[in-house]
Amino acid sequence: MKLIIPRFAEPTGNNDFSNLIKIDQRDCLGGQTLLANQGKPMQGENEESSNAVYEGKRDLSAITTFCHKEPVTCINNISDGITISGSQDKTVVAYDWKADKIMHRWQGHEREVTKVVYADIIRSIFSCSRDRSIRMWRCDDENNDFIREFTGHDLVVTGIAVCSDGTTLCSGSRDNMICLWDIETGKVMRRRNINRNLITHLQWFPKESNDHLIAQTSEDKSLRIWDSKSMEVAIAFPSRRNILTYCDISYDGNYIITGGSGVTGQGCDCVMWDVRAQKVIAEFLGHSMTVSACCFASFDENLVLTASYDHSVRMWNRKTTDCLLQYTINGAGPITGICSDADKHFCCSTHEDGIHAVLVNTETSKATLQKKF
């Protein structure tokens, strides 16, 4: 079976990625497998594997009991067992997968949702979209309408981040613009433009570290750190050979990991940067296609999780760069996002098989599917 999967193109200034590649999904699989029907274990259902392969749905029209009726484009955590996700169906969903119920479904975007974040201190969710807008939704509000809209970008908004005190929102777009917004008023406070800086992701530094700093990845193959006080670039790291797709920051703020674009094993990397030394100190290699998302594991600071268009999630030892676990969803298409919680779970969003919640045994490096939604 052939999958047609979009890859990150070289920066051209166009609004959408247009380059396509073809890959035989059998080339991405191998080693010991644990097969399951629609993601539910069959014989040996309690068996764990560090190289597990699950059979996913291929018929999008059949996905009617999941959170979303179209491909899931992004995911993030609210708390243990509760996720937020965005989709091509233009909705944002808060889902309690342990209780198996949708807590909220927010509608209002006119096009695909590209990123979602949760701001705990103000109990609010923010989403951005290909409709060039950012919307704010209140978790405790029985009305599912958005409570604020932030407009000003000229192209698809591809990154959003909220500061630790919940007063300021940062956004980035393929229009090369990075903006700071006053959340209370919805007004732009500052904006900056760098030529060819087609932003792919934003992450605010944790409050335990330099919480006035913002990390940003770009299609110009660069990682930058912005000072939110001056809205100037504080650190510009050496450029990579491939487009940087995503970033996450360690709890202490000393390290950043970034995902990289690629095909047939060229590029397809996750690298770790030392913020103080301003250089790459580790590379996590093994994916065969673009690494779409990455995160430091919430349940163990020494572990890194990566999600890829090769329909697999990998778990890595941060210090040795060894791959400890591979979780592959055969037939899911690109895995578009990943998040984790303190209860040793990760959740990954997929193009054709909804969202998987997976339990990780950190002692044996085994993965067990808990829920698909």
Side-chain angles (χ1 to χ4, degrees), residues 45-87:
E45 61 179 341
N46 295 320
E47 183 180 358
E48 298 174 314
S49 176
S50 59
N51 191 11
V53 180
Y54 285 86
E55 193 72 18
K57 285 182 182 289
R58 292 179 175 82
D59 181 6
L60 283 177
S61 64
I63 305 180
T64 56
T65 58
F66 290 175
C67 285
H68 299 282
K69 294 184 178 180
E70 294 187 34
V72 188
T73 54
C74 51
I75 190 167
N76 222 317
N77 242 27
I78 293 181
S79 61
D80 292 356
I82 301 177
T83 62
I84 49 171
S85 55
S87 168

Side-chain angles (χ1 to χ4, degrees), residues 249-312:
I249 304 167
S250 63
Y251 182 80
D252 58 12
N254 291 330
Y255 304 97
I256 299 174
I257 51 174
T258 57
S261 67
V263 61
T264 61
Q266 300 298 312
C268 316
D269 54 3
C270 174
V271 301
M272 184 162 65
W273 306 76
D274 187 312
V275 174
R276 294 163 295 185
Q278 300 181 27
K279 65 179 183 179
V280 171
I281 59 170
E283 294 184 312
F284 306 96
L285 304 174
H287 285 293
S288 61
M289 298 189 70
T290 291
V291 175
S292 54
C294 54
C295 66
F296 289 98
S298 300
F299 49 83
D300 190 332
E301 62 181 6
N302 292 315
L303 299 176
V304 168
L305 295 165
T306 56
S308 171
Y309 284 0
D310 65 12
H311 48 264
S312 75

Side-chain angles (χ1 to χ4, degrees), residues 48-264:
E48 298 174 314
S49 176
S50 59
N51 191 11
V53 180
Y54 285 86
E55 193 72 18
K57 285 182 182 289
R58 292 179 175 82
D59 181 6
L60 283 177
S61 64
I63 305 180
T64 56
T65 58
F66 290 175
C67 285
H68 299 282
K69 294 184 178 180
E70 294 187 34
V72 188
T73 54
C74 51
I75 190 167
N76 222 317
N77 242 27
I78 293 181
S79 61
D80 292 356
I82 301 177
T83 62
I84 49 171
S85 55
S87 168
Q88 289 183 12
D89 66 11
K90 310 172 190 176
T91 68
V92 176
V93 172
Y95 189 83
D96 184 337
W97 60 265
K98 290 185 176 179
D100 194 18
K101 66 176 182 180
I102 293 177
M103 300 176 65
H104 289 280
R105 183 186 299 277
W106 294 283
Q107 301 181 42
H109 282 297
E110 297 175 359
R111 296 188 65 189
E112 167 186 331
V113 177
T114 54
K115 296 286 170 64
V116 288
V117 297
Y118 174 64
D120 180 60
I121 195 168
I122 54 175
R123 297 282 297 162
S124 296
I125 288 167
F126 296 82
S127 59
C128 58
S129 168
R130 286 188 177 273
D131 66 12
R132 300 176 293 181
S133 76
I134 304 150
R135 304 205 176 191
M136 177 180 177
W137 323 81
R138 190 79 73 190
C139 285
D140 301 327
D141 195 343
E142 293 184 1
N143 186 340
N144 286 340
D145 293 334
F146 64 90
I147 61 172
R148 193 155 295 121
E149 184 178 30
F150 305 80
T151 57
H153 285 291
D154 295 327
L155 294 174
V156 51
V157 185
T158 48
I160 47 175
V162 179
C163 69
S164 59
D165 65 9
T167 62
T168 308
L169 169 73
C170 184
S171 66
S173 166
R174 284 180 57 83
D175 63 7
N176 303 320
M177 191 76 67
I178 184 168
C179 299
L180 276 187
W181 308 79
D182 183 303
I183 289 178
E184 184 63 30
T185 65
K187 303 296 184 182
V188 174
M189 299 187 295
R190 302 184 188 90
R191 66 178 74 205
R192 291 289 184 271
N193 183 299
I194 296 179
N195 188 38
R196 295 176 63 85
N197 183 31
L198 284 73
I199 293 159
T200 56
H201 195 69
L202 293 168
Q203 190 79 16
W204 213 294
F205 272 64
K207 64 180 179 181
E208 293 79 11
S209 60
N210 299 311
D211 64 352
H212 63 284
L213 299 179
I214 304 162
Q216 177 242 307
T217 51
S218 170
E219 283 193 42
D220 69 1
K221 308 173 185 178
S222 298
L223 169 66
R224 297 178 176 90
I225 294 179
W226 294 81
D227 187 333
S228 63
K229 296 178 180 179
S230 63
M231 275 308 287
E232 299 292 341
V233 176
I235 302 174
F237 293 84
S239 296
R240 296 287 291 173
R241 297 181 300 274
N242 52 336
I243 291 168
L244 302 185
T245 59
Y246 203 90
C247 62
D248 192 33
I249 304 167
S250 63
Y251 182 80
D252 58 12
N254 291 330
Y255 304 97
I256 299 174
I257 51 174
T258 57
S261 67
V263 61
T264 61

